[in-house]
């Protein structure tokens, strides 16, 4: 039979490992990177590469279907797919400037779209 001291020690060790794993999982790298992303609709449409990372700043100008929207920036317009959970309960209208991060979705025979993974409200800029 296992002694109480041994059982207590094993339980404490298991909890310590679990806490260490939880702490490590939430860490994020904040240094320099070589990952690049296209930042305009024009550059996406000029040379679309499937699954390429994009970060675009603009507006949702129209809802096309349940999860598809028209997104417009200073260089053009493209269809984006946004799942409801990505909105995270925020209400975003056509006057809201947002930043979207996602991947290019290029299927043969279909128009290029962006599969949005994250939405942020763009910081307000003052006009002087």
């Amino acid at each position: 039979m296992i002694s109480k001291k041994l059982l207590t020690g094993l339980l404490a060790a298991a909890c310590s490992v679990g806490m260490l794993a939880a702490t490590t999982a939430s860490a994020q790298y904040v240094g320099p990177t070589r990952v690049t992303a296209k930042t305009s609709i024009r550059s996406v449409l000029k040379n679309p590469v499937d699954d390429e990372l994009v970060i675009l700043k603009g507006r949702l100008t129209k809802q096309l279907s349940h999860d598809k929207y028209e997104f417009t920036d200073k260089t053009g317009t493209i269809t984006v797919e946004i799942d409801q959970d990505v909105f995270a309960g925020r209400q975003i209208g056509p006057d809201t400037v947002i930043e979207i991060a996602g991947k290019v979705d290029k299927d043969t025979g279909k128009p290029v779209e962006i599969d949005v993974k994250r939405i942020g409200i763009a910081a307000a800029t003052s006009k002087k």
Side-chain angles (χ1 to χ4, degrees):
M1 186 155 197
I2 299 177
S3 72
K4 284 186 178 182
K5 285 185 178 181
L6 178 59
L7 187 57
T8 303
L10 290 173
L11 183 59
C15 289
S16 296
V17 169
M19 290 175 62
L20 179 61
T23 303
T24 304
S26 65
Q28 294 180 354
Y29 179 71
V30 294
T33 181
R34 290 187 180 181
V35 175
T36 59
K38 288 186 177 170
T39 58
S40 74
I41 293 172
R42 179 182 298 141
S43 64
V44 171
L45 294 176
K46 183 177 180 182
N47 183 26
V49 177
D50 194 42
D51 289 334
E52 183 175 36
L53 180 64
V54 296
I55 299 174
L56 305 171
K57 186 176 180 179
R59 302 172 195 275
L60 293 176
T61 51
K62 186 187 306 180
Q63 185 170 8
L64 304 172
S65 68
H66 173 69
D67 61 353
K68 299 213 181 196
Y69 301 84
E70 181 179 85
F71 181 82
T72 304
D73 72 2
K74 294 178 182 178
T75 68
T77 299
I78 195 166
T79 299
V80 296
E81 181 177 340
I82 307 172
D83 294 332
Q84 288 302 309
D85 62 323
V86 176
F87 280 104
R90 296 173 289 195
Q91 293 185 347
I92 298 173
D95 295 330
T96 308
V97 178
I98 60 173
E99 183 176 85
I100 61 172
K103 293 185 176 185
V104 174
D105 187 9
K106 180 184 174 201
D107 291 331
T108 305
K110 295 183 179 178
V112 175
E113 295 182 353
I114 304 298
D115 184 12
V116 177
K117 303 297 183 186
R118 183 188 58 81
I119 296 176
I121 306 297
T125 56
S126 61
K127 295 180 182 179
K128 292 186 178 183

